[in-house]
């Protein structure tokens, strides 16, 4: 549950083959799967048709705030650690005022040289807290067996820009 009633526009950055975007669409959200890899978007279209919207897009590109929520499971942790602050800004740019960001993160990974990259809850709080009000930041209670005990979740609301 995203903390939003069904109907609002929700983005899935780094959607890959589209499973999360398709599931959100089935639950009544206006889901858009975004990925910078054209082959991934094509696979999502082939598998799920027009169940969700699909766009080839660089998450870091300039954008207008068009979404009420972001469902981010493994996109943030796939970014190089030096891009994390830019990623948070990209999330903020794409959300409408008061929009929600639901993120899944790994605090423990087995390899350090390639994604996913681990991050601590405190680091997420520091990064996200610059632009978002942290509503929840806690360990995942259910995970894939290979990820059990290594994940935590974020729910955060976009704050208005201070002038």
């Amino acid at each position: 549950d995203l903390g939003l009633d069904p109907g609002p526009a929700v983005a899935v950055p780094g959607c890959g083959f589209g499973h999360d975007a398709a599931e959100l669409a089935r639950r009544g959200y206006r889901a858009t799967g975004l990925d910078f890899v054209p082959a991934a978007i094509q696979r999502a279209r082939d598998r799920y048709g027009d169940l969700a919207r699909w766009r080839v897009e660089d998450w870091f590109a300039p954008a207008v705030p068009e979404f009420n929520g972001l469902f981010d499971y493994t996109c943030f942790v796939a970014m190089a650690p030096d891009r994390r602050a830019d990623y948070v800004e990209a999330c903020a740019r794409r959300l409408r005022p008061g929009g929600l960001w639901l993120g899944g993160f790994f605090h423990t990974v087995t390899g350090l040289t390639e994604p996913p990259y681990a991050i601590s809850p405190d680091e997420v709080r520091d990064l996200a807290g610059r632009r978002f009000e942290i509503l929840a930041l806690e360990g995942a209670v259910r995970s894939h067996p290979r990820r059990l005990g290594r994940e935590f979740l974020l729910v955060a609301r976009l704050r208005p820009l201070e002038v």
Side-chain angles (χ1 to χ4, degrees), residues 9 30 35 37 39 42 46 48 52 64 69 72 82 94 120 136 138 146 149 154:
R30 289 181 291 123
D35 206 297
V37 178
Q42 189 56 54
D46 291 346
Y48 297 109
V64 297
D72 176 356
D82 65 350
R94 290 173 179 272
S120 74
E138 55 198 46
R146 289 188 316 230
L154 164 77

Side-chain angles (χ1 to χ4, degrees), residues 7-93:
V10 175
V12 180
C15 72
F17 297 158
H19 309 306
D20 294 328
E23 182 60 28
L24 289 166
R26 283 189 194 105
R27 292 175 183 244
Y29 296 94
R30 289 181 291 123
T32 301
L34 301 120
D35 206 297
F36 73 96
V37 178
I41 292 296
Q42 189 56 54
R43 290 274 305 267
R45 278 192 187 108
D46 291 346
R47 183 168 194 155
Y48 297 109
D50 62 359
L51 183 59
R53 293 174 50 205
W54 310 106
R55 292 195 327 228
V56 175
E57 196 166 310
D58 177 355
W59 188 248
F60 295 98
V64 297
E66 64 178 304
F67 299 107
N68 302 94
L70 305 175
F71 183 82
D72 176 356
Y73 186 66
T74 69
C75 189
F76 179 95
V77 295
M79 298 294 142
D82 65 350
R83 302 284 324 260
R84 289 175 172 166
D86 294 335
Y87 186 88
V88 171
E89 284 303 312
C91 290
R93 279 195 310 271

Side-chain angles (χ1 to χ4, degrees), residues 77 84 104-110 112 116-124 138-140 143 147-153:
V77 295
R84 289 175 172 166
F105 306 89
F106 295 107
H107 56 74
T108 306
V109 295
T110 53
L112 299 175
Y117 298 106
I119 187 168
S120 74
D122 287 338
E123 289 175 287
V124 169
E138 55 198 46
S143 294
R147 298 173 177 168
L148 194 59
R150 300 186 313 144
E151 297 179 301
F152 64 97
L153 305 174

